[in-house]
Amino acid sequence: MIAGIDIGSRSMELVLLDKNGIVLERKLPTTFDPASQLKIILDGVKADLISATGYGRKLVTEEICGAPCVSLTEIKAYALGISYLFPEARTILDIGGQDTKAISLMKNGKVAKFEMNDRCAAGTGKFLEHLATVFQLPIEEFGNYALGGTEPLTINSMCTVFAETEATSLMAQGKNPRDIALGLHASIVRRTTNMLHRVGLSEPFVFAGGVANNPCVINMLTDALNIKPLIPEGPDMVGALGSALYGKSLTEIS
């Protein structure tokens, strides 16, 4: 049994593999106490090796988890996870809670080139989550709400604070709130399409991470690229899956 864990800024995911494939998946919010959440997500899990990725991967130690532990980067984890789910994939876009990753893959599934925005929450799940509160909406409803807009209004700033200021200013001018929401989603898509072109966009193209659950981003990305992205079932589980696959490869080598 190999456990893969992805500890992100907003959520943590666990995938448990045996020799036949996935036997268990779990997801919890990371909260302000990820160490306690780690113990909860591992409760009852019997693993021979635990492989960790994500911002909180250094929390995953044998002392806390009760099993040998290894770690790997998010880039490698996503490459492994996507290559397992979509063996022909050539480009990956991952928009998570705190960063955005664009990854180009070689034919053997190894990383050819990547670009990562991890210094600012601009254009990430946190960006959308914060701005959804301006519209008094839960993040789960924000995408469908934006799809009700007809003309996306221009949002010039990708800074979360300045974008909020622009949105509230447009509201004060009497602009359609759904058009403002659509404009906020469009600003994310502009940023991510630029990243994809810089790493070399080619098909098949896979969109993963928590923001891949947002229907507005999916639609606008499809229109902007003229490519329909492949989206995994459970797009936010890919990092944990890749982490588990990495651990499995180590046991096979040994």
Side-chain angles (χ1 to χ4, degrees), residues 76-134:
K76 187 168 185 175
Y78 265 80
L80 288 168
I82 291 299
S83 295
Y84 177 85
L85 296 170
F86 303 100
E88 301 302 314
R90 291 294 172 266
T91 313
I92 304 167
L93 173 65
D94 162 48
I95 308 180
Q98 195 167 299
D99 67 27
T100 301
K101 295 179 279 290
I103 307 169
S104 174
L105 298 177
M106 295 186 283
K107 287 185 178 180
N108 60 5
K110 293 188 180 298
V111 175
K113 190 176 181 181
F114 73 90
E115 187 167 316
M116 185 172 179
N117 163 42
D118 61 350
R119 297 184 180 228
C120 174
T124 67
K126 284 285 188 186
F127 176 86
L128 283 174
E129 186 174 26
H130 179 78
L131 290 165
T133 64
V134 176

CSV table of all heavy atoms in Angstrom, one decimal, residues 76-134:
chain,number,residue,atom,x,y,z
A,76,LYS,N,6.5,17.5,-10.8
A,76,LYS,CA,6.7,16.1,-11.0
A,76,LYS,C,5.5,15.3,-10.7
A,76,LYS,O,5.1,14.4,-11.4
A,76,LYS,CB,7.9,15.6,-10.2
A,76,LYS,CG,8.3,14.1,-10.6
A,76,LYS,CD,9.6,13.8,-10.0
A,76,LYS,CE,10.0,12.4,-10.5
A,76,LYS,NZ,11.4,12.0,-10.0
A,77,ALA,N,4.8,15.7,-9.6
A,77,ALA,CA,3.6,14.9,-9.2
A,77,ALA,C,2.5,15.1,-10.2
A,77,ALA,O,1.8,14.1,-10.6
A,77,ALA,CB,3.1,15.5,-7.8
A,78,TYR,N,2.3,16.3,-10.7
A,78,TYR,CA,1.3,16.5,-11.7
A,78,TYR,C,1.6,15.8,-13.0
A,78,TYR,O,0.7,15.3,-13.7
A,78,TYR,CB,1.0,18.0,-11.9
A,78,TYR,CG,-0.1,18.5,-11.1
A,78,TYR,CD1,0.0,18.8,-9.8
A,78,TYR,CD2,-1.4,18.6,-11.6
A,78,TYR,CE1,-1.0,19.2,-9.0
A,78,TYR,CE2,-2.5,19.0,-10.9
A,78,TYR,CZ,-2.3,19.3,-9.5
A,78,TYR,OH,-3.4,19.6,-8.7
A,79,ALA,N,2.9,15.8,-13.4
A,79,ALA,CA,3.3,15.1,-14.6
A,79,ALA,C,3.0,13.6,-14.5
A,79,ALA,O,2.4,13.0,-15.5
A,79,ALA,CB,4.8,15.4,-14.9
A,80,LEU,N,3.3,13.1,-13.4
A,80,LEU,CA,3.1,11.6,-13.2
A,80,LEU,C,1.6,11.3,-13.2
A,80,LEU,O,1.1,10.3,-13.8
A,80,LEU,CB,3.7,11.2,-11.9
A,80,LEU,CG,5.2,11.1,-11.9
A,80,LEU,CD1,5.8,10.9,-10.5
A,80,LEU,CD2,5.7,9.9,-12.8
A,81,GLY,N,0.8,12.1,-12.4
A,81,GLY,CA,-0.6,11.9,-12.3
A,81,GLY,C,-1.4,12.0,-13.6
A,81,GLY,O,-2.2,11.2,-14.0
A,82,ILE,N,-1.1,13.1,-14.4
A,82,ILE,CA,-1.7,13.3,-15.7
A,82,ILE,C,-1.3,12.2,-16.7
A,82,ILE,O,-2.1,11.7,-17.4
A,82,ILE,CB,-1.4,14.7,-16.2
A,82,ILE,CG1,-2.1,15.8,-15.3
A,82,ILE,CG2,-1.9,14.8,-17.7
A,82,ILE,CD1,-3.6,15.7,-15.3
A,83,SER,N,0.0,11.8,-16.7
A,83,SER,CA,0.4,10.8,-17.6
A,83,SER,C,-0.2,9.5,-17.3
A,83,SER,O,-0.5,8.7,-18.3
A,83,SER,CB,2.0,10.7,-17.6
A,83,SER,OG,2.6,11.9,-18.0
A,84,TYR,N,-0.6,9.2,-16.1
A,84,TYR,CA,-1.3,8.0,-15.7
A,84,TYR,C,-2.7,8.0,-16.2
A,84,TYR,O,-3.2,7.0,-16.8
A,84,TYR,CB,-1.2,7.8,-14.2
A,84,TYR,CG,-2.0,6.6,-13.7
A,84,TYR,CD1,-1.4,5.4,-13.6
A,84,TYR,CD2,-3.3,6.8,-13.2
A,84,TYR,CE1,-2.1,4.3,-13.1
A,84,TYR,CE2,-4.0,5.7,-12.6
A,84,TYR,CZ,-3.4,4.5,-12.6
A,84,TYR,OH,-4.1,3.4,-12.1
A,85,LEU,N,-3.4,9.2,-16.1
A,85,LEU,CA,-4.8,9.3,-16.5
A,85,LEU,C,-4.9,9.5,-18.0
A,85,LEU,O,-5.9,9.0,-18.6
A,85,LEU,CB,-5.4,10.5,-15.7
A,85,LEU,CG,-5.5,10.3,-14.2
A,85,LEU,CD1,-5.9,11.7,-13.6
A,85,LEU,CD2,-6.4,9.2,-13.8
A,86,PHE,N,-4.0,10.3,-18.6
A,86,PHE,CA,-4.0,10.6,-20.0
A,86,PHE,C,-2.7,10.4,-20.6
A,86,PHE,O,-1.9,11.3,-20.7
A,86,PHE,CB,-4.5,12.0,-20.2
A,86,PHE,CG,-5.8,12.4,-19.6
A,86,PHE,CD1,-5.9,13.1,-18.4
A,86,PHE,CD2,-7.0,12.1,-20.2
A,86,PHE,CE1,-7.1,13.4,-17.8
A,86,PHE,CE2,-8.2,12.4,-19.6
A,86,PHE,CZ,-8.3,13.1,-18.4
A,87,PRO,N,-2.3,9.1,-21.0
A,87,PRO,CA,-1.0,8.8,-21.4
A,87,PRO,C,-0.5,9.6,-22.6
A,87,PRO,O,0.7,9.8,-22.8
A,87,PRO,CB,-1.1,7.3,-21.8
A,87,PRO,CG,-2.2,6.8,-21.0
A,87,PRO,CD,-3.2,7.9,-20.9
A,88,GLU,N,-1.4,10.1,-23.4
A,88,GLU,CA,-1.0,10.9,-24.6
A,88,GLU,C,-0.9,12.4,-24.3
A,88,GLU,O,-0.5,13.2,-25.2
A,88,GLU,CB,-2.0,10.7,-25.7
A,88,GLU,CG,-2.2,9.2,-26.2
A,88,GLU,CD,-0.9,8.6,-26.6
A,88,GLU,OE1,-0.2,9.3,-27.4
A,88,GLU,OE2,-0.5,7.5,-26.2
A,89,ALA,N,-1.2,12.8,-23.1
A,89,ALA,CA,-1.2,14.3,-22.8
A,89,ALA,C,0.2,14.9,-23.1
A,89,ALA,O,1.2,14.4,-22.8
A,89,ALA,CB,-1.5,14.5,-21.3
A,90,ARG,N,0.1,16.2,-23.6
A,90,ARG,CA,1.3,16.9,-24.0
A,90,ARG,C,1.4,18.2,-23.2
A,90,ARG,O,2.5,18.8,-23.1
A,90,ARG,CB,1.4,17.2,-25.5
A,90,ARG,CG,1.6,15.9,-26.3
A,90,ARG,CD,3.0,15.3,-26.0
A,90,ARG,NE,3.1,14.0,-26.6
A,90,ARG,CZ,2.9,12.9,-26.0
A,90,ARG,NH1,2.5,12.8,-24.8
A,90,ARG,NH2,3.1,11.7,-26.7
A,91,THR,N,0.3,18.8,-22.7
A,91,THR,CA,0.3,20.0,-22.0
A,91,THR,C,-0.7,19.9,-20.8
A,91,THR,O,-1.7,19.4,-20.9
A,91,THR,CB,-0.1,21.2,-22.9
A,91,THR,OG1,0.6,21.2,-24.1
A,91,THR,CG2,0.2,22.5,-22.2
A,92,ILE,N,-0.2,20.5,-19.7
A,92,ILE,CA,-1.0,20.5,-18.5
A,92,ILE,C,-1.2,21.9,-18.0
A,92,ILE,O,-0.2,22.7,-17.9
A,92,ILE,CB,-0.4,19.7,-17.3
A,92,ILE,CG1,-0.1,18.2,-17.8
A,92,ILE,CG2,-1.2,19.7,-16.1
A,92,ILE,CD1,0.8,17.5,-16.8
A,93,LEU,N,-2.4,22.3,-17.6
A,93,LEU,CA,-2.6,23.5,-16.9
A,93,LEU,C,-3.2,23.2,-15.5
A,93,LEU,O,-4.2,22.5,-15.4
A,93,LEU,CB,-3.6,24.5,-17.6
A,93,LEU,CG,-4.0,25.7,-16.8
A,93,LEU,CD1,-2.8,26.6,-16.6
A,93,LEU,CD2,-5.1,26.5,-17.6
A,94,ASP,N,-2.5,23.6,-14.4
A,94,ASP,CA,-3.1,23.3,-13.1
A,94,ASP,C,-3.3,24.7,-12.4
A,94,ASP,O,-2.3,25.4,-12.3
A,94,ASP,CB,-2.1,22.5,-12.3
A,94,ASP,CG,-2.4,22.6,-10.8
A,94,ASP,OD1,-3.5,22.5,-10.4
A,94,ASP,OD2,-1.4,22.8,-10.0
A,95,ILE,N,-4.5,25.0,-12.1
A,95,ILE,CA,-4.8,26.2,-11.3
A,95,ILE,C,-5.3,25.8,-10.0
A,95,ILE,O,-6.4,25.2,-9.8
A,95,ILE,CB,-5.8,27.1,-12.0
A,95,ILE,CG1,-5.4,27.4,-13.4
A,95,ILE,CG2,-5.9,28.4,-11.2
A,95,ILE,CD1,-6.4,28.4,-14.2
A,96,GLY,N,-4.5,25.9,-8.9
A,96,GLY,CA,-4.8,25.5,-7.6
A,96,GLY,C,-5.2,26.7,-6.7
A,96,GLY,O,-5.5,27.8,-7.2
A,97,GLY,N,-5.1,26.5,-5.4
A,97,GLY,CA,-5.5,27.5,-4.5
A,97,GLY,C,-4.5,28.7,-4.4
A,97,GLY,O,-4.9,29.8,-4.2
A,98,GLN,N,-3.3,28.4,-4.6
A,98,GLN,CA,-2.3,29.4,-4.4
A,98,GLN,C,-1.3,29.6,-5.6
A,98,GLN,O,-0.5,30.5,-5.5
A,98,GLN,CB,-1.5,29.1,-3.1
A,98,GLN,CG,-0.6,30.2,-2.6
A,98,GLN,CD,-0.2,29.9,-1.1
A,98,GLN,OE1,-1.0,29.7,-0.2
A,98,GLN,NE2,1.1,29.8,-1.0
A,99,ASP,N,-1.3,28.7,-6.5
A,99,ASP,CA,-0.4,28.9,-7.7
A,99,ASP,C,-1.0,28.4,-9.0
A,99,ASP,O,-2.1,27.7,-9.0
A,99,ASP,CB,0.9,28.2,-7.4
A,99,ASP,CG,0.9,26.7,-7.4
A,99,ASP,OD1,0.0,26.1,-8.0
A,99,ASP,OD2,1.7,26.1,-6.7
A,100,THR,N,-0.4,28.7,-10.1
A,100,THR,CA,-0.8,28.3,-11.4
A,100,THR,C,0.5,27.6,-12.0
A,100,THR,O,1.5,28.2,-12.0
A,100,THR,CB,-1.3,29.4,-12.3
A,100,THR,OG1,-2.4,30.0,-11.6
A,100,THR,CG2,-1.7,28.9,-13.6
A,101,LYS,N,0.3,26.5,-12.6
A,101,LYS,CA,1.4,25.8,-13.3
A,101,LYS,C,1.0,25.4,-14.7
A,101,LYS,O,-0.1,24.9,-15.0
A,101,LYS,CB,1.7,24.5,-12.5
A,101,LYS,CG,2.2,24.7,-11.1
A,101,LYS,CD,2.5,23.3,-10.4
A,101,LYS,CE,1.3,22.7,-9.8
A,101,LYS,NZ,0.7,23.4,-8.7
A,102,ALA,N,1.9,25.7,-15.6
A,102,ALA,CA,1.8,25.3,-17.0
A,102,ALA,C,2.9,24.4,-17.3
A,102,ALA,O,4.1,24.7,-17.1
A,102,ALA,CB,1.8,26.5,-18.0
A,103,ILE,N,2.6,23.2,-17.8
A,103,ILE,CA,3.7,22.2,-18.0
A,103,ILE,C,3.6,21.6,-19.4
A,103,ILE,O,2.5,21.2,-19.8
A,103,ILE,CB,3.5,21.0,-16.9
A,103,ILE,CG1,3.4,21.6,-15.5
A,103,ILE,CG2,4.6,20.0,-17.0
A,103,ILE,CD1,3.0,20.6,-14.4
A,104,SER,N,4.7,21.5,-20.0
A,104,SER,CA,4.8,20.8,-21.3
A,104,SER,C,5.4,19.4,-21.1
A,104,SER,O,6.5,19.4,-20.4
A,104,SER,CB,5.6,21.7,-22.3
A,104,SER,OG,5.8,21.0,-23.5
A,105,LEU,N,4.8,18.4,-21.7
A,105,LEU,CA,5.3,17.0,-21.5
A,105,LEU,C,6.0,16.5,-22.8
A,105,LEU,O,5.5,16.8,-23.9
A,105,LEU,CB,4.2,16.1,-21.1
A,105,LEU,CG,3.5,16.4,-19.7
A,105,LEU,CD1,2.4,15.4,-19.5
A,105,LEU,CD2,4.5,16.4,-18.6
A,106,MET,N,7.0,15.7,-22.6
A,106,MET,CA,7.5,14.9,-23.7
A,106,MET,C,6.7,13.7,-24.0
A,106,MET,O,5.8,13.4,-23.2
A,106,MET,CB,9.0,14.5,-23.5
A,106,MET,CG,9.9,15.7,-23.3
A,106,MET,SD,11.7,15.3,-23.2
A,106,MET,CE,11.7,14.8,-21.4
A,107,LYS,N,7.0,12.9,-25.0
A,107,LYS,CA,6.2,11.8,-25.4
A,107,LYS,C,6.2,10.7,-24.3
A,107,LYS,O,5.3,9.9,-24.2
A,107,LYS,CB,6.6,11.2,-26.7
A,107,LYS,CG,6.2,12.1,-27.9
A,107,LYS,CD,6.5,11.4,-29.2
A,107,LYS,CE,6.0,12.3,-30.4
A,107,LYS,NZ,6.4,11.7,-31.7
A,108,ASN,N,7.3,10.6,-23.6
A,108,ASN,CA,7.4,9.6,-22.5
A,108,ASN,C,6.8,10.1,-21.2
A,108,ASN,O,6.9,9.4,-20.2
A,108,ASN,CB,8.9,9.3,-22.3
A,108,ASN,CG,9.8,10.4,-21.9
A,108,ASN,OD1,9.3,11.6,-21.7
A,108,ASN,ND2,11.1,10.2,-21.8
A,109,GLY,N,6.2,11.3,-21.2
A,109,GLY,CA,5.5,11.7,-20.0
A,109,GLY,C,6.4,12.6,-19.1
A,109,GLY,O,5.9,13.1,-18.1
A,110,LYS,N,7.7,12.7,-19.4
A,110,LYS,CA,8.6,13.5,-18.6
A,110,LYS,C,8.4,15.0,-18.9
A,110,LYS,O,7.9,15.4,-20.0
A,110,LYS,CB,10.0,13.1,-18.8
A,110,LYS,CG,10.3,11.7,-18.3
A,110,LYS,CD,11.8,11.4,-18.4
A,110,LYS,CE,12.1,10.0,-17.9
A,110,LYS,NZ,11.8,9.8,-16.5
A,111,VAL,N,8.8,15.8,-18.0
A,111,VAL,CA,8.6,17.3,-18.1
A,111,VAL,C,9.6,17.9,-19.1
A,111,VAL,O,10.8,17.7,-19.0
A,111,VAL,CB,8.7,18.0,-16.7
A,111,VAL,CG1,8.6,19.5,-16.9
A,111,VAL,CG2,7.6,17.5,-15.8
A,112,ALA,N,9.1,18.6,-20.1
A,112,ALA,CA,10.0,19.2,-21.1
A,112,ALA,C,10.2,20.7,-20.7
A,112,ALA,O,11.4,21.1,-20.7
A,112,ALA,CB,9.3,19.2,-22.5
A,113,LYS,N,9.2,21.3,-20.2
A,113,LYS,CA,9.3,22.7,-19.8
A,113,LYS,C,8.1,23.1,-18.9
A,113,LYS,O,7.0,22.5,-19.0
A,113,LYS,CB,9.3,23.6,-21.0
A,113,LYS,CG,9.6,25.1,-20.8
A,113,LYS,CD,9.7,25.9,-22.1
A,113,LYS,CE,10.0,27.3,-21.9
A,113,LYS,NZ,10.0,28.1,-23.2
A,114,PHE,N,8.3,24.0,-18.0
A,114,PHE,CA,7.2,24.4,-17.1
A,114,PHE,C,7.4,25.9,-16.7
A,114,PHE,O,8.5,26.4,-16.7
A,114,PHE,CB,7.1,23.5,-15.9
A,114,PHE,CG,8.1,23.7,-14.8
A,114,PHE,CD1,8.0,24.7,-13.8
A,114,PHE,CD2,9.3,23.0,-14.8
A,114,PHE,CE1,8.9,24.9,-12.8
A,114,PHE,CE2,10.3,23.2,-13.9
A,114,PHE,CZ,10.1,24.2,-12.9
A,115,GLU,N,6.3,26.4,-16.3
A,115,GLU,CA,6.3,27.8,-15.8
A,115,GLU,C,5.3,27.8,-14.6
A,115,GLU,O,4.2,27.1,-14.7
A,115,GLU,CB,5.8,28.8,-16.8
A,115,GLU,CG,5.9,30.2,-16.4
A,115,GLU,CD,5.8,31.2,-17.5
A,115,GLU,OE1,6.4,31.0,-18.6
A,115,GLU,OE2,5.1,32.3,-17.3
A,116,MET,N,5.7,28.5,-13.5
A,116,MET,CA,4.9,28.4,-12.3
A,116,MET,C,4.8,29.8,-11.7
A,116,MET,O,5.8,30.5,-11.5
A,116,MET,CB,5.5,27.4,-11.3
A,116,MET,CG,4.8,27.2,-10.0
A,116,MET,SD,5.6,25.8,-9.1
A,116,MET,CE,4.5,25.8,-7.7
A,117,ASN,N,3.5,30.2,-11.4
A,117,ASN,CA,3.3,31.4,-10.7
A,117,ASN,C,3.0,31.1,-9.2
A,117,ASN,O,1.9,30.7,-8.9
A,117,ASN,CB,2.2,32.2,-11.3
A,117,ASN,CG,1.6,33.3,-10.4
A,117,ASN,OD1,2.4,34.0,-9.7
A,117,ASN,ND2,0.3,33.4,-10.3
A,118,ASP,N,4.0,31.2,-8.3
A,118,ASP,CA,3.7,30.9,-6.9
A,118,ASP,C,4.1,32.0,-6.0
A,118,ASP,O,4.2,31.8,-4.8
A,118,ASP,CB,4.5,29.6,-6.6
A,118,ASP,CG,6.0,29.8,-6.7
A,118,ASP,OD1,6.4,30.8,-7.3
A,118,ASP,OD2,6.7,28.8,-6.3
A,119,ARG,N,4.4,33.2,-6.5
A,119,ARG,CA,4.8,34.3,-5.7
A,119,ARG,C,3.6,35.2,-5.3
A,119,ARG,O,3.7,36.1,-4.5
A,119,ARG,CB,5.8,35.2,-6.4
A,119,ARG,CG,7.1,34.3,-6.6
A,119,ARG,CD,8.2,35.1,-7.3
A,119,ARG,NE,9.4,34.2,-7.4
A,119,ARG,CZ,10.6,34.5,-7.1
A,119,ARG,NH1,10.8,35.7,-6.5
A,119,ARG,NH2,11.6,33.7,-7.3
A,120,CYS,N,2.5,35.0,-6.0
A,120,CYS,CA,1.3,35.9,-5.8
A,120,CYS,C,0.1,35.0,-6.0
A,120,CYS,O,0.1,34.1,-6.9
A,120,CYS,CB,1.4,37.1,-6.7
A,120,CYS,SG,-0.1,38.1,-6.6
A,121,ALA,N,-1.0,35.3,-5.4
A,121,ALA,CA,-2.3,34.6,-5.5
A,121,ALA,C,-3.0,35.0,-6.8
A,121,ALA,O,-4.1,34.5,-7.1
A,121,ALA,CB,-3.2,34.8,-4.3
A,122,ALA,N,-2.5,36.0,-7.6
A,122,ALA,CA,-3.2,36.5,-8.8
A,122,ALA,C,-3.5,35.3,-9.7
A,122,ALA,O,-2.7,34.5,-10.1
A,122,ALA,CB,-2.3,37.5,-9.5
A,123,GLY,N,-4.8,35.3,-10.1
A,123,GLY,CA,-5.2,34.3,-11.1
A,123,GLY,C,-5.3,32.9,-10.6
A,123,GLY,O,-5.4,31.9,-11.3
A,124,THR,N,-5.4,32.7,-9.3
A,124,THR,CA,-5.5,31.3,-8.7
A,124,THR,C,-6.9,31.2,-8.0
A,124,THR,O,-7.7,32.0,-8.1
A,124,THR,CB,-4.4,31.1,-7.6
A,124,THR,OG1,-4.7,32.0,-6.5
A,124,THR,CG2,-3.0,31.4,-8.2
A,125,GLY,N,-7.0,30.0,-7.4
A,125,GLY,CA,-8.3,29.7,-6.6
A,125,GLY,C,-8.5,30.8,-5.5
A,125,GLY,O,-9.6,31.1,-5.3
A,126,LYS,N,-7.4,31.2,-4.9
A,126,LYS,CA,-7.6,32.2,-3.8
A,126,LYS,C,-8.1,33.5,-4.4
A,126,LYS,O,-8.9,34.2,-3.7
A,126,LYS,CB,-6.2,32.4,-3.1
A,126,LYS,CG,-5.8,31.3,-2.1
A,126,LYS,CD,-6.6,31.4,-0.9
A,126,LYS,CE,-6.1,30.4,0.2
A,126,LYS,NZ,-6.9,30.3,1.4
A,127,PHE,N,-7.6,33.9,-5.5
A,127,PHE,CA,-8.1,35.1,-6.2
A,127,PHE,C,-9.6,35.0,-6.4
A,127,PHE,O,-10.3,35.9,-6.1
A,127,PHE,CB,-7.3,35.2,-7.6
A,127,PHE,CG,-7.8,36.3,-8.4
A,127,PHE,CD1,-7.2,37.6,-8.3
A,127,PHE,CD2,-8.7,36.1,-9.4
A,127,PHE,CE1,-7.6,38.6,-9.1
A,127,PHE,CE2,-9.1,37.2,-10.3
A,127,PHE,CZ,-8.5,38.4,-10.1
A,128,LEU,N,-10.1,33.9,-7.0
A,128,LEU,CA,-11.5,33.7,-7.2
A,128,LEU,C,-12.3,33.6,-5.9
A,128,LEU,O,-13.4,34.2,-5.8
A,128,LEU,CB,-11.7,32.4,-8.0
A,128,LEU,CG,-11.4,32.5,-9.5
A,128,LEU,CD1,-11.6,31.1,-10.2
A,128,LEU,CD2,-12.4,33.5,-10.2
A,129,GLU,N,-11.7,32.9,-5.0
A,129,GLU,CA,-12.4,32.7,-3.7
A,129,GLU,C,-12.6,34.1,-3.0
A,129,GLU,O,-13.7,34.4,-2.5
A,129,GLU,CB,-11.7,31.8,-2.8
A,129,GLU,CG,-12.4,31.4,-1.5
A,129,GLU,CD,-11.6,30.4,-0.7
A,129,GLU,OE1,-10.4,30.3,-0.9
A,129,GLU,OE2,-12.3,29.6,0.0
A,130,HIS,N,-11.6,34.9,-3.0
A,130,HIS,CA,-11.7,36.2,-2.3
A,130,HIS,C,-12.7,37.1,-3.1
A,130,HIS,O,-13.5,37.8,-2.4
A,130,HIS,CB,-10.3,36.9,-2.3
A,130,HIS,CG,-10.3,38.3,-1.7
A,130,HIS,ND1,-10.4,38.4,-0.3
A,130,HIS,CD2,-10.4,39.5,-2.3
A,130,HIS,CE1,-10.4,39.7,-0.1
A,130,HIS,NE2,-10.4,40.4,-1.2
A,131,LEU,N,-12.6,37.1,-4.4
A,131,LEU,CA,-13.5,38.0,-5.2
A,131,LEU,C,-15.0,37.5,-5.2
A,131,LEU,O,-15.9,38.3,-5.3
A,131,LEU,CB,-13.0,38.1,-6.6
A,131,LEU,CG,-11.7,39.0,-6.6
A,131,LEU,CD1,-11.0,38.8,-8.0
A,131,LEU,CD2,-12.0,40.4,-6.4
A,132,ALA,N,-15.2,36.2,-5.0
A,132,ALA,CA,-16.5,35.7,-4.8
A,132,ALA,C,-17.2,36.3,-3.6
A,132,ALA,O,-18.4,36.6,-3.7
A,132,ALA,CB,-16.5,34.2,-4.7
A,133,THR,N,-16.4,36.6,-2.6
A,133,THR,CA,-17.0,37.2,-1.4
A,133,THR,C,-17.5,38.6,-1.7
A,133,THR,O,-18.5,39.1,-1.0
A,133,THR,CB,-16.0,37.3,-0.2
A,133,THR,OG1,-14.9,38.1,-0.6
A,133,THR,CG2,-15.5,35.9,0.1
A,134,VAL,N,-16.9,39.3,-2.6
A,134,VAL,CA,-17.4,40.7,-3.0
A,134,VAL,C,-18.8,40.6,-3.6
A,134,VAL,O,-19.7,41.5,-3.4
A,134,VAL,CB,-16.5,41.3,-4.1
A,134,VAL,CG1,-17.0,42.6,-4.6
A,134,VAL,CG2,-15.1,41.4,-3.5
